[in-house]
Amino acid sequence: MGADDATGSPDRHHSEVTLRVNGKPHTLIVDHRSVLLDVLRERLNLVGAKKGCDHGQCGACTVLVDGRRVNGCLLPAVALDGCDITTVEGLAAGAAGAAGEELHPLQRAFVERDAFQCGYCTPGQICSAVGAIAEAEAGHPSHVTDPEAPSGQPVPLGPDEIRERLSGNLCRCGAYPNIVRAVEDVIR
């Protein structure tokens, strides 16, 4: 165990887990009640994902677990032992191959399109968009996907698809039009 560890050892209320966060393994002793968001923010000092509603309704805590977007405020960290977790901080590292040298294309598009105002929801919006793009490429339909579309084929992402797929991420400032444009810029 390293510097990220809690003091003590596993007991009936704590377990040892290894989370691979942004490409780096972290072995920690976590309370069974601890959710992923709290472990990321309080134990690993990765504060990009935000605590908004704490009920999985706003999307401010969205991160990627094994490539799929999830609400970090709802997932017990102990259930994620061995999983790969990508936060907004890790997107830049993944784009450049070294920590933070170059922004991920979605991060760059959000800046270029001014797709944020206060910025509180932006990390969750960006992680959600990364996941939504991957889901569409994998052929996963949304509520607005044409029922006649061939099953399992990539789903084209127009404005309606983007809005539907990102509808679980709230922006209290109302930057939605530029968020959609930023995602469109990346998929073209």
Side-chain angles (χ1 to χ4, degrees):
M1 291 192 214
D4 295 329
D5 306 326
T7 56
S9 59
D11 59 32
R12 67 185 204 140
H13 300 292
H14 299 81
S15 292
E16 180 178 288
V17 297
T18 300
L19 307 174
R20 187 169 179 81
V21 182
N22 299 330
K24 180 181 174 195
H26 297 272
T27 300
L28 307 151
I29 304 294
V30 297
D31 185 301
H32 295 162
R33 299 166 295 178
S34 296
V35 294
L36 176 60
L37 177 64
D38 293 338
V39 170
L40 292 172
R41 291 181 61 83
E42 297 168 12
R43 301 283 301 283
L44 300 179
N45 201 32
L46 294 168
V47 295
K50 305 292 190 264
K51 187 173 282 209
C53 67
D54 214 18
H55 295 287
Q57 297 174 346
C58 74
C61 63
T62 304
V63 296
L64 302 169
V65 173
D66 292 336
R68 298 202 46 132
R69 56 195 172 140
V70 300
N71 290 324
C73 73
L74 296 179
L75 292 175
V78 71
L80 301 173
D81 187 30
C83 290
D84 286 314
I85 297 157
T86 304
T87 67
V88 72
E89 294 93 343
L91 292 176
E101 291 180 19
E102 183 179 319
L103 294 177
H104 182 279
L106 272 165
Q107 291 170 314
R108 194 171 38 255
F110 267 62
V111 171
E112 290 169 359
R113 283 291 187 170
D114 195 26
F116 54 89
Q117 287 182 33
C118 78
Y120 195 82
C121 72
T122 304
Q125 295 276 0
I126 291 171
C127 284
S128 187
V130 168
I133 290 169
E135 291 165 11
E137 288 174 354
H140 299 289
S142 78
H143 179 70
V144 299
T145 303
D146 182 355
E148 301 299 319
S151 181
Q153 297 297 313
V155 177
L157 287 177
D160 288 341
E161 278 284 347
I162 294 167
R163 281 190 288 273
E164 173 63 25
R165 289 172 187 271
L166 298 183
S167 65
N169 290 79
L170 303 180
C171 174
R172 289 176 177 92
C173 300
Y176 298 115
N178 288 345
I179 291 169
V180 171
R181 289 182 192 109
V183 174
E184 288 178 313
D185 288 350
V186 170
I187 60 175
R188 289 191 179 136

PDB file of all heavy atoms in Angstrom, residues 91-114:
ATOM      1  N   LEU A  91      -8.794  12.871 -18.955  1.00  0.00           N
ATOM      2  CA  LEU A  91      -9.053  13.003 -20.392  1.00  0.00           C
ATOM      3  C   LEU A  91      -7.904  13.707 -21.094  1.00  0.00           C
ATOM      4  O   LEU A  91      -7.495  13.318 -22.178  1.00  0.00           O
ATOM      5  CB  LEU A  91     -10.356  13.749 -20.645  1.00  0.00           C
ATOM      6  CG  LEU A  91     -11.636  13.024 -20.245  1.00  0.00           C
ATOM      7  CD1 LEU A  91     -12.838  13.927 -20.458  1.00  0.00           C
ATOM      8  CD2 LEU A  91     -11.782  11.721 -21.007  1.00  0.00           C
ATOM      9  N   ALA A  92      -7.381  14.760 -20.481  1.00  0.00           N
ATOM     10  CA  ALA A  92      -6.261  15.486 -21.084  1.00  0.00           C
ATOM     11  C   ALA A  92      -5.039  14.585 -21.154  1.00  0.00           C
ATOM     12  O   ALA A  92      -4.338  14.559 -22.164  1.00  0.00           O
ATOM     13  CB  ALA A  92      -5.938  16.744 -20.288  1.00  0.00           C
ATOM     14  N   ALA A  93      -4.790  13.829 -20.119  1.00  0.00           N
ATOM     15  CA  ALA A  93      -3.633  12.936 -20.112  1.00  0.00           C
ATOM     16  C   ALA A  93      -3.790  11.870 -21.194  1.00  0.00           C
ATOM     17  O   ALA A  93      -2.838  11.551 -21.885  1.00  0.00           O
ATOM     18  CB  ALA A  93      -3.479  12.279 -18.744  1.00  0.00           C
ATOM     19  N   GLY A  94      -5.018  11.360 -21.349  1.00  0.00           N
ATOM     20  CA  GLY A  94      -5.253  10.340 -22.367  1.00  0.00           C
ATOM     21  C   GLY A  94      -5.091  10.872 -23.771  1.00  0.00           C
ATOM     22  O   GLY A  94      -4.660  10.162 -24.678  1.00  0.00           O
ATOM     23  N   ALA A  95      -5.385  12.149 -23.987  1.00  0.00           N
ATOM     24  CA  ALA A  95      -5.274  12.734 -25.318  1.00  0.00           C
ATOM     25  C   ALA A  95      -3.827  12.952 -25.707  1.00  0.00           C
ATOM     26  O   ALA A  95      -3.466  12.831 -26.866  1.00  0.00           O
ATOM     27  CB  ALA A  95      -6.030  14.066 -25.370  1.00  0.00           C
ATOM     28  N   ALA A  96      -2.987  13.265 -24.749  1.00  0.00           N
ATOM     29  CA  ALA A  96      -1.601  13.616 -25.073  1.00  0.00           C
ATOM     30  C   ALA A  96      -0.617  12.512 -24.732  1.00  0.00           C
ATOM     31  O   ALA A  96       0.509  12.544 -25.187  1.00  0.00           O
ATOM     32  CB  ALA A  96      -1.204  14.886 -24.319  1.00  0.00           C
ATOM     33  N   GLY A  97      -1.038  11.564 -23.906  1.00  0.00           N
ATOM     34  CA  GLY A  97      -0.123  10.516 -23.499  1.00  0.00           C
ATOM     35  C   GLY A  97       0.695  10.890 -22.276  1.00  0.00           C
ATOM     36  O   GLY A  97       1.378  10.084 -21.704  1.00  0.00           O
ATOM     37  N   ALA A  98       0.636  12.141 -21.866  1.00  0.00           N
ATOM     38  CA  ALA A  98       1.325  12.600 -20.657  1.00  0.00           C
ATOM     39  C   ALA A  98       0.416  13.591 -19.965  1.00  0.00           C
ATOM     40  O   ALA A  98      -0.321  14.325 -20.604  1.00  0.00           O
ATOM     41  CB  ALA A  98       2.653  13.257 -21.011  1.00  0.00           C
ATOM     42  N   ALA A  99       0.439  13.586 -18.682  1.00  0.00           N
ATOM     43  CA  ALA A  99      -0.511  14.352 -17.879  1.00  0.00           C
ATOM     44  C   ALA A  99      -0.643  15.803 -18.309  1.00  0.00           C
ATOM     45  O   ALA A  99       0.279  16.592 -18.191  1.00  0.00           O
ATOM     46  CB  ALA A  99      -0.122  14.281 -16.408  1.00  0.00           C
ATOM     47  N   GLY A 100      -1.815  16.124 -18.826  1.00  0.00           N
ATOM     48  CA  GLY A 100      -2.218  17.496 -19.042  1.00  0.00           C
ATOM     49  C   GLY A 100      -1.491  18.316 -20.077  1.00  0.00           C
ATOM     50  O   GLY A 100      -1.635  19.513 -20.103  1.00  0.00           O
ATOM     51  N   GLU A 101      -0.719  17.709 -20.958  1.00  0.00           N
ATOM     52  CA  GLU A 101       0.013  18.504 -21.945  1.00  0.00           C
ATOM     53  C   GLU A 101      -0.897  19.092 -23.008  1.00  0.00           C
ATOM     54  O   GLU A 101      -0.615  20.150 -23.554  1.00  0.00           O
ATOM     55  CB  GLU A 101       1.107  17.660 -22.598  1.00  0.00           C
ATOM     56  CG  GLU A 101       2.233  17.327 -21.633  1.00  0.00           C
ATOM     57  CD  GLU A 101       3.300  16.488 -22.295  1.00  0.00           C
ATOM     58  OE1 GLU A 101       3.379  16.441 -23.534  1.00  0.00           O
ATOM     59  OE2 GLU A 101       4.072  15.865 -21.557  1.00  0.00           O
ATOM     60  N   GLU A 102      -1.950  18.387 -23.340  1.00  0.00           N
ATOM     61  CA  GLU A 102      -2.867  18.839 -24.382  1.00  0.00           C
ATOM     62  C   GLU A 102      -4.284  18.496 -23.965  1.00  0.00           C
ATOM     63  O   GLU A 102      -4.537  17.419 -23.433  1.00  0.00           O
ATOM     64  CB  GLU A 102      -2.517  18.138 -25.696  1.00  0.00           C
ATOM     65  CG  GLU A 102      -3.363  18.578 -26.865  1.00  0.00           C
ATOM     66  CD  GLU A 102      -2.955  17.858 -28.140  1.00  0.00           C
ATOM     67  OE1 GLU A 102      -1.750  17.695 -28.367  1.00  0.00           O
ATOM     68  OE2 GLU A 102      -3.856  17.458 -28.881  1.00  0.00           O
ATOM     69  N   LEU A 103      -5.217  19.384 -24.219  1.00  0.00           N
ATOM     70  CA  LEU A 103      -6.605  19.126 -23.867  1.00  0.00           C
ATOM     71  C   LEU A 103      -7.195  18.034 -24.752  1.00  0.00           C
ATOM     72  O   LEU A 103      -6.828  17.897 -25.919  1.00  0.00           O
ATOM     73  CB  LEU A 103      -7.438  20.400 -24.020  1.00  0.00           C
ATOM     74  CG  LEU A 103      -7.129  21.545 -23.067  1.00  0.00           C
ATOM     75  CD1 LEU A 103      -8.006  22.757 -23.406  1.00  0.00           C
ATOM     76  CD2 LEU A 103      -7.338  21.129 -21.626  1.00  0.00           C
ATOM     77  N   HIS A 104      -8.135  17.294 -24.188  1.00  0.00           N
ATOM     78  CA  HIS A 104      -8.937  16.339 -24.957  1.00  0.00           C
ATOM     79  C   HIS A 104      -9.734  17.156 -25.976  1.00  0.00           C
ATOM     80  O   HIS A 104     -10.091  18.310 -25.704  1.00  0.00           O
ATOM     81  CB  HIS A 104      -9.870  15.596 -23.988  1.00  0.00           C
ATOM     82  CG  HIS A 104     -10.706  14.551 -24.624  1.00  0.00           C
ATOM     83  ND1 HIS A 104     -11.868  14.845 -25.297  1.00  0.00           N
ATOM     84  CD2 HIS A 104     -10.549  13.203 -24.688  1.00  0.00           C
ATOM     85  CE1 HIS A 104     -12.400  13.715 -25.742  1.00  0.00           C
ATOM     86  NE2 HIS A 104     -11.614  12.706 -25.384  1.00  0.00           N
ATOM     87  N   PRO A 105     -10.047  16.611 -27.147  1.00  0.00           N
ATOM     88  CA  PRO A 105     -10.801  17.373 -28.139  1.00  0.00           C
ATOM     89  C   PRO A 105     -12.105  17.978 -27.608  1.00  0.00           C
ATOM     90  O   PRO A 105     -12.468  19.094 -27.977  1.00  0.00           O
ATOM     91  CB  PRO A 105     -11.069  16.352 -29.249  1.00  0.00           C
ATOM     92  CG  PRO A 105      -9.932  15.384 -29.139  1.00  0.00           C
ATOM     93  CD  PRO A 105      -9.614  15.313 -27.668  1.00  0.00           C
ATOM     94  N   LEU A 106     -12.808  17.261 -26.726  1.00  0.00           N
ATOM     95  CA  LEU A 106     -14.035  17.835 -26.159  1.00  0.00           C
ATOM     96  C   LEU A 106     -13.731  18.991 -25.219  1.00  0.00           C
ATOM     97  O   LEU A 106     -14.456  19.985 -25.203  1.00  0.00           O
ATOM     98  CB  LEU A 106     -14.859  16.769 -25.433  1.00  0.00           C
ATOM     99  CG  LEU A 106     -15.839  16.030 -26.334  1.00  0.00           C
ATOM    100  CD1 LEU A 106     -16.336  14.781 -25.660  1.00  0.00           C
ATOM    101  CD2 LEU A 106     -16.992  16.930 -26.735  1.00  0.00           C
ATOM    102  N   GLN A 107     -12.673  18.884 -24.438  1.00  0.00           N
ATOM    103  CA  GLN A 107     -12.300  20.004 -23.565  1.00  0.00           C
ATOM    104  C   GLN A 107     -11.965  21.229 -24.410  1.00  0.00           C
ATOM    105  O   GLN A 107     -12.407  22.341 -24.105  1.00  0.00           O
ATOM    106  CB  GLN A 107     -11.094  19.616 -22.695  1.00  0.00           C
ATOM    107  CG  GLN A 107     -11.423  18.572 -21.654  1.00  0.00           C
ATOM    108  CD  GLN A 107     -10.195  18.030 -20.963  1.00  0.00           C
ATOM    109  OE1 GLN A 107      -9.198  17.700 -21.608  1.00  0.00           O
ATOM    110  NE2 GLN A 107     -10.270  17.929 -19.644  1.00  0.00           N
ATOM    111  N   ARG A 108     -11.216  21.018 -25.475  1.00  0.00           N
ATOM    112  CA  ARG A 108     -10.850  22.123 -26.363  1.00  0.00           C
ATOM    113  C   ARG A 108     -12.100  22.733 -27.012  1.00  0.00           C
ATOM    114  O   ARG A 108     -12.247  23.945 -27.088  1.00  0.00           O
ATOM    115  CB  ARG A 108      -9.852  21.624 -27.418  1.00  0.00           C
ATOM    116  CG  ARG A 108      -9.153  22.707 -28.178  1.00  0.00           C
ATOM    117  CD  ARG A 108      -8.003  22.207 -29.059  1.00  0.00           C
ATOM    118  NE  ARG A 108      -8.236  20.921 -29.718  1.00  0.00           N
ATOM    119  CZ  ARG A 108      -7.679  19.761 -29.356  1.00  0.00           C
ATOM    120  NH1 ARG A 108      -6.843  19.723 -28.340  1.00  0.00           N
ATOM    121  NH2 ARG A 108      -7.940  18.648 -30.004  1.00  0.00           N
ATOM    122  N   ALA A 109     -13.027  21.875 -27.466  1.00  0.00           N
ATOM    123  CA  ALA A 109     -14.255  22.361 -28.097  1.00  0.00           C
ATOM    124  C   ALA A 109     -15.111  23.153 -27.115  1.00  0.00           C
ATOM    125  O   ALA A 109     -15.717  24.166 -27.495  1.00  0.00           O
ATOM    126  CB  ALA A 109     -15.052  21.185 -28.675  1.00  0.00           C
ATOM    127  N   PHE A 110     -15.174  22.716 -25.852  1.00  0.00           N
ATOM    128  CA  PHE A 110     -15.934  23.466 -24.851  1.00  0.00           C
ATOM    129  C   PHE A 110     -15.347  24.862 -24.664  1.00  0.00           C
ATOM    130  O   PHE A 110     -16.086  25.833 -24.537  1.00  0.00           O
ATOM    131  CB  PHE A 110     -15.970  22.715 -23.519  1.00  0.00           C
ATOM    132  CG  PHE A 110     -17.164  21.818 -23.343  1.00  0.00           C
ATOM    133  CD1 PHE A 110     -17.383  20.741 -24.190  1.00  0.00           C
ATOM    134  CD2 PHE A 110     -18.073  22.043 -22.334  1.00  0.00           C
ATOM    135  CE1 PHE A 110     -18.472  19.909 -24.034  1.00  0.00           C
ATOM    136  CE2 PHE A 110     -19.175  21.218 -22.158  1.00  0.00           C
ATOM    137  CZ  PHE A 110     -19.373  20.149 -23.013  1.00  0.00           C
ATOM    138  N   VAL A 111     -14.027  24.958 -24.667  1.00  0.00           N
ATOM    139  CA  VAL A 111     -13.385  26.263 -24.535  1.00  0.00           C
ATOM    140  C   VAL A 111     -13.652  27.110 -25.774  1.00  0.00           C
ATOM    141  O   VAL A 111     -14.062  28.268 -25.679  1.00  0.00           O
ATOM    142  CB  VAL A 111     -11.860  26.110 -24.293  1.00  0.00           C
ATOM    143  CG1 VAL A 111     -11.154  27.451 -24.379  1.00  0.00           C
ATOM    144  CG2 VAL A 111     -11.611  25.462 -22.937  1.00  0.00           C
ATOM    145  N   GLU A 112     -13.444  26.527 -26.944  1.00  0.00           N
ATOM    146  CA  GLU A 112     -13.617  27.277 -28.196  1.00  0.00           C
ATOM    147  C   GLU A 112     -15.047  27.731 -28.398  1.00  0.00           C
ATOM    148  O   GLU A 112     -15.288  28.811 -28.948  1.00  0.00           O
ATOM    149  CB  GLU A 112     -13.145  26.431 -29.379  1.00  0.00           C
ATOM    150  CG  GLU A 112     -11.640  26.241 -29.401  1.00  0.00           C
ATOM    151  CD  GLU A 112     -11.163  25.197 -30.401  1.00  0.00           C
ATOM    152  OE1 GLU A 112     -11.999  24.569 -31.093  1.00  0.00           O
ATOM    153  OE2 GLU A 112      -9.933  24.995 -30.475  1.00  0.00           O
ATOM    154  N   ARG A 113     -16.016  26.930 -27.988  1.00  0.00           N
ATOM    155  CA  ARG A 113     -17.438  27.264 -28.154  1.00  0.00           C
ATOM    156  C   ARG A 113     -18.012  28.025 -26.957  1.00  0.00           C
ATOM    157  O   ARG A 113     -19.182  28.346 -26.950  1.00  0.00           O
ATOM    158  CB  ARG A 113     -18.252  25.993 -28.369  1.00  0.00           C
ATOM    159  CG  ARG A 113     -18.144  25.428 -29.753  1.00  0.00           C
ATOM    160  CD  ARG A 113     -18.817  26.327 -30.738  1.00  0.00           C
ATOM    161  NE  ARG A 113     -18.839  25.691 -32.055  1.00  0.00           N
ATOM    162  CZ  ARG A 113     -19.517  26.164 -33.058  1.00  0.00           C
ATOM    163  NH1 ARG A 113     -20.238  27.257 -32.927  1.00  0.00           N
ATOM    164  NH2 ARG A 113     -19.478  25.557 -34.222  1.00  0.00           N
ATOM    165  N   ASP A 114     -17.200  28.279 -25.948  1.00  0.00           N
ATOM    166  CA  ASP A 114     -17.676  28.933 -24.733  1.00  0.00           C
ATOM    167  C   ASP A 114     -18.897  28.178 -24.202  1.00  0.00           C
ATOM    168  O   ASP A 114     -19.937  28.758 -23.908  1.00  0.00           O
ATOM    169  CB  ASP A 114     -18.005  30.405 -25.001  1.00  0.00           C
ATOM    170  CG  ASP A 114     -18.145  31.217 -23.723  1.00  0.00           C
ATOM    171  OD1 ASP A 114     -17.540  30.824 -22.713  1.00  0.00           O
ATOM    172  OD2 ASP A 114     -18.863  32.231 -23.745  1.00  0.00           O
TER     173      ASP A 114
END
